[in-house]
Amino acid sequence: MLLYRAAVDLSRPSLNYVAGIVRRHRRAFRSLWRLLNPGRQALLVLVHLRKAETFAEVATGFGVSVATAWRYVQEIVALLSARSPKLWAALRKAQADELTHLVLDGTLIHTDRADRPYFSGKHRVHGMNVQVIAGPDGTVLWNSGAMPGKIHDLTAARVWGVLRELERAGILTLADKAYQGAETSVVITPYKGKNKPESQKQANRAHAKLLGPGERANAQLKSWRILRKLRCSPGKAGHLVKAIAVLQNYETTRG
């Protein structure tokens, strides 16, 4: 087998951040010795998430077994996911930060599971539906768990209680046409139909201009290649996205 050195496009502060989480977790459970120290475990996990290297590949690169690599990844994903804010807390912080508006958007995390419930008619691929709320600049403020890809965005938003919490918070939220029919006055969607009057066309252009930066949140999440096509249980997609959102926000603000 041939070995080579490679780089990962993440900052040193992000590595130190994850290593610190691992170090504190080990102290809490009095598990001070492992085959890899906290820094090496953190690096293994970041390589797996950022570059989508398989467990076999990272196991070989870090000199551990495949089972150990899998266990290390699952451990850190759970720790990071637990740091993801609850919906009500994210909206309360948005209020405190006096954000002008929010952006609600759904994203499909592709999966290699070809079962019927996971097939999205909109995207014509199999995947998991995840709802994302972002700030005006594209920062991910909150994301939901994962539902089968056949679930419509509006239905998913209802199931997760997103519309109810947005109405309660009273924050103007922009969304695409998939959310038309939302039972709340704070969610604003573009006008549909052909031959619209000029006023509606202008409103749609202004809507798209404000919506665009927020929608880039999903693109930032998928810069972590593991989210481009899952090869694990679809039920883990939600926790995986939550963990990556925590990492992405840290990388953006402090990396």
Side-chain angles (χ1 to χ4, degrees):
M1 180 177 293
L2 300 176
L3 301 177
Y4 68 96
R5 299 182 66 179
V8 58
D9 59 336
L10 294 171
S11 65
R12 174 64 62 173
S14 292
L15 175 63
N16 294 339
Y17 171 67
V18 178
I21 293 174
V22 175
R23 193 174 294 111
R24 290 189 292 273
H25 177 71
R26 291 186 183 184
R27 286 174 182 166
F29 287 89
R30 298 183 180 181
S31 177
L32 300 182
W33 186 90
R34 298 274 187 91
L35 189 59
L36 297 184
N37 63 36
R40 293 289 288 172
Q41 180 182 352
L43 183 58
L44 180 153
V45 175
L46 291 175
V47 168
H48 172 70
L49 299 179
R50 187 69 172 183
K51 302 179 71 176
E53 291 193 3
T54 65
F55 290 120
E57 289 170 335
V58 293
T60 300
F62 286 82
V64 297
S65 69
V66 174
T68 298
W70 179 88
R71 187 170 62 251
Y72 280 167
V73 170
Q74 300 308 308
E75 180 180 51
I76 291 184
V77 166
L79 292 172
L80 289 170
S81 177
R83 290 173 173 257
S84 179
K86 302 295 184 182
L87 178 55
W88 63 267
L91 295 180
R92 181 176 295 179
K93 186 176 186 305
Q95 290 175 316
D97 293 341
E98 299 182 344
L99 298 184
T100 57
H101 64 277
L102 304 177
V103 173
L104 171 62
D105 194 20
T107 187
L108 190 79
I109 307 301
H110 293 191
T111 177
D112 60 356
R113 299 295 176 93
D115 299 334
R116 188 176 188 128
Y118 303 113
F119 184 75
S120 168
K122 175 182 176 181
H123 298 90
R124 310 300 297 176
V125 294
H126 292 83
M128 300 297 290
N129 180 302
V130 175
Q131 298 295 299
V132 178
I133 295 178
D137 61 351
T139 300
V140 178
L141 305 181
W142 173 86
N143 72 270
S144 71
M147 300 185 71
K150 72 174 185 179
I151 303 296
H152 191 274
D153 280 336
L154 181 56
T155 301
R158 288 170 176 153
V159 170
W160 294 113
V162 176
L163 305 180
R164 180 178 62 253
E165 291 297 331
L166 287 173
E167 180 72 26
R168 185 175 300 170
I171 305 177
L172 180 68
T173 304
L174 304 181
D176 60 26
K177 295 178 181 179
Y179 296 89
Q180 289 190 330
E183 307 83 4
T184 172
S185 59
V186 299
V187 175
I188 308 300
T189 59
Y191 292 101
K192 293 178 71 174
K194 298 179 180 179
N195 302 319
K196 293 183 290 290
E198 184 59 29
S199 60
Q200 292 186 3
K201 292 180 180 179
Q202 291 179 358
N204 279 1
R205 286 193 288 269
H207 183 279
K209 185 175 181 179
L210 293 172
L211 191 68
E215 286 185 324
R216 284 201 292 270
N218 290 338
Q220 292 177 20
L221 291 176
K222 290 183 179 178
S223 67
W224 297 74
R225 296 181 185 175
I226 196 70
L227 293 183
R228 296 182 186 178
K229 189 170 185 179
L230 291 182
R231 293 177 175 82
C232 62
S233 169
K236 296 179 180 179
H239 288 298
L240 194 57
V241 177
K242 287 179 182 293
I244 288 175
V246 171
L247 289 172
Q248 178 61 35
N249 286 339
Y250 191 91
E251 176 73 11
T252 300
T253 57
R254 307 197 188 178

